[in-house]
Amino acid sequence: MMDWTDRHCRVFHRLLTRRARLYTEMLTTGAIIHGDRARLLGFDASEHPVALQLGGSDPGDLAIAARIGEEFGYNEINLNVGCPSDRVKDGRFGACLMAEPKLVAACVDAMKRAVSIPVTVKCRIGIDDQDPEVALDTLARDVVAAGSDALIVHARKAWLDGLSPKENRDIPPLDYDRVYRLKQALPDLPVIINGGIGNLADAKVHLLKVDGVMLGRAAYQEPWRLLTVDPDIFGEAAPHATMKDAFVAMMPYIERELARGTRLHAMTRHFVGAFHGVPGARAFRRHLAENGVRPGAGTDVLRDAIARIEDRAAASIAA
């Protein structure tokens, strides 16, 4: 979820579920090794458990980046070999590495030797003209032999030759059964399924066949869904009963970030789907879009936006 699941987004999502594991956006080894680590890797303690997702193909560089991630306090290192972005193809990381399972295994081995926390891999079922039956089994067996602690599988091929990154999120058909067969073939490997899963009812169906479910766009675009993760999946109470309660809990974090110079929009851009389907949701989004970007915008903007939800809901009930 490059450019989406930044630290502000993750703090917000953690207020909706205590139990779901959060993942960073994919960060390249070069950025981590040579860039501003505090800015790229810093995260709020409330985010735990949180995994650092890496992009790269050099085992040595990945080992260094993984070690840095562990030192920063991440709970897991995840190697992404499923992202179909043009940037990752040009940089020889992401989905193009599905064609080089031995190299991926060498990367996993190097990271496992460098850290004591779990190392996992996120992949597709194949790319381009690969046969998913062969490609996925080959990659899985190689990374398991190298020590991978789990495999997260986006149940689509990635067509690197002919489809854009956006098209690769929707056009290649989903093949959940292929992921189920992988789990059957490797029963001791934790397998997490990903791709096109839009609600918790569907997630529960998948959990009958695999060990975990990853939500991407559904969690980001409609974050209210996360409020039911803890009660529906883990049998525990949600951290907050309503989205309004979660925003009340979010205010101190926003105020701290504003004091540090973070612009309000950098945080509120992750809230646009918070009240999907609720009367006043459009007014909520419009108010944030128009006022959150203004210089000096503060928490009053968010409070005023929430008030539009309340006002519309009250008017709807009165009618």
Side-chain angles (χ1 to χ4, degrees):
M1 302 282 286
M2 294 173 69
D3 300 322
W4 289 18
T5 51
D6 63 18
R7 59 194 177 95
H8 308 308
C9 174
R10 298 192 305 268
V11 168
F12 173 46
H13 285 182
R14 180 56 73 214
L15 291 171
L16 307 179
T17 167
R18 295 185 184 94
R19 294 296 304 275
R21 177 157 297 210
L22 304 178
Y23 285 75
T24 70
E25 56 193 325
M26 185 176 68
L27 299 173
T28 66
T29 54
I32 291 172
I33 294 171
H34 305 293
D36 184 346
R37 294 176 189 174
R39 180 180 63 82
L40 292 169
L41 295 174
F43 65 94
D44 192 84
S46 67
E47 295 177 40
H48 290 293
V50 58
L52 171 63
Q53 189 172 101
L54 297 178
S57 58
D58 180 272
D61 286 350
L62 280 164
I64 294 171
R67 189 179 302 115
I68 293 169
E70 183 178 38
E71 291 170 353
F72 265 80
Y74 284 93
N75 303 103
E76 172 191 329
I77 304 297
N78 177 257
L79 176 62
N80 188 317
V81 296
C83 181
S85 168
D86 293 336
R87 285 182 287 171
V88 301
K89 182 178 179 182
D90 293 342
R92 199 188 176 206
F93 54 92
C96 64
L97 290 177
M98 291 289 299
E100 301 184 73
K102 296 298 183 186
L103 175 58
V104 177
C107 293
V108 170
D109 178 68
M111 290 188 289
K112 286 290 292 184
R113 293 175 185 274
V115 301
S116 60
I117 56 177
V119 172
T120 62
V121 175
K122 185 174 188 291
C123 67
R124 294 278 182 137
I125 61 173
I127 58 170
D128 298 328
D129 293 323
Q130 284 184 329
D131 179 353
E133 297 300 324
V134 176
L136 184 57
D137 271 354
T138 299
L139 179 77
R141 293 183 187 279
D142 283 349
V143 299
V144 167
S148 180
D149 293 287
L151 193 63
I152 303 167
V153 186
H154 186 143
R156 284 188 176 95
K157 268 191 172 186
W159 285 94
L160 304 180
D161 185 12
L163 292 181
S164 69
K166 181 179 179 180
E167 291 170 331
N168 263 305
R169 292 197 294 265
D170 296 301
I171 292 179
L174 287 160
D175 189 352
Y176 295 133
D177 287 339
R178 177 65 192 94
V179 185
Y180 299 160
R181 291 195 295 275
L182 175 69
K183 177 59 188 178
Q184 292 171 349
L186 298 172
D188 295 330
L189 174 68
V191 173
I192 295 91
I193 199 166
N194 174 234
I197 302 166
N199 57 67
L200 291 191
D202 290 343
K204 285 183 173 181
V205 173
H206 290 299
L207 287 171
L208 298 174
K209 302 288 186 67
V210 294
D211 304 288
V213 174
M214 176 178 277
L215 298 181
R217 282 174 290 162
Y220 186 89
Q221 294 169 353
E222 299 176 345
W224 53 271
R225 294 185 182 278
L226 297 178
L227 281 170
T228 59
V229 167
D230 291 2
D232 285 2
I233 302 298
F234 297 100
E236 300 177 5
H240 300 285
T242 68
M243 188 61 72
K244 177 187 173 184
D245 293 337
F247 278 127
V248 170
M250 186 79 182
M251 291 297 180
Y253 174 84
I254 295 174
E255 289 168 351
R256 290 197 303 271
E257 286 298 313
L258 290 171
R260 292 171 181 155
T262 303
R263 296 192 64 180
L264 183 68
H265 177 67
M267 294 172 277
T268 57
R269 72 187 183 95
H270 302 300
F271 304 162
V272 293
F275 293 103
H276 177 81
V278 174
R282 183 177 298 176
F284 170 82
R285 293 193 299 268
R286 183 186 303 117
H287 189 79
L288 288 183
E290 293 175 353
N291 298 283
V293 297
R294 293 178 179 175
T299 53
D300 57 307
V301 171
L302 179 56
R303 290 189 175 93
D304 288 345
I306 295 170
R308 282 156 172 74
I309 293 287
E310 296 170 339
D311 291 345
R312 292 291 185 89
S316 176
I317 293 170

